[in-house]
Amino acid sequence: MIRQAIEKRKKHLIGKLLSNGIYKKNDLHLFELTLTELEEEFKRILKVQN
């Protein structure tokens, strides 16, 4: 059950990052990143936009 919640959150963040033109971080595709890495990248994008 927790795993499903994590995967759902990851998919949500990946969708948000893709819509902002982010497809990779360094040489890794977004789906290869951990939830924490995705959240950090999303926070960075929000910071840049504001």
Side-chain angles (χ1 to χ4, degrees):
M1 202 161 151
I2 292 173
R3 186 146 194 78
Q4 289 174 330
I6 291 170
E7 289 303 315
K8 184 177 179 181
R9 177 74 175 148
K10 283 179 72 171
K11 285 181 183 180
H12 174 75
L13 289 170
I14 288 171
K16 292 285 191 178
L17 290 167
L18 289 172
S19 68
N20 280 285
I22 306 297
Y23 302 97
K24 284 185 164 184
K25 182 176 181 182
N26 300 323
D27 288 336
L28 296 175
H29 293 276
L30 295 178
F31 69 87
E32 297 176 284
L33 300 177
T34 65
L35 177 57
T36 302
E37 291 169 324
L38 289 167
E39 287 176 333
E40 288 172 356
E41 188 65 17
F42 185 65
K43 286 177 188 174
R44 187 184 69 78
I45 294 301
L46 289 177
K47 196 176 202 181
V48 169
Q49 289 178 351
N50 292 327

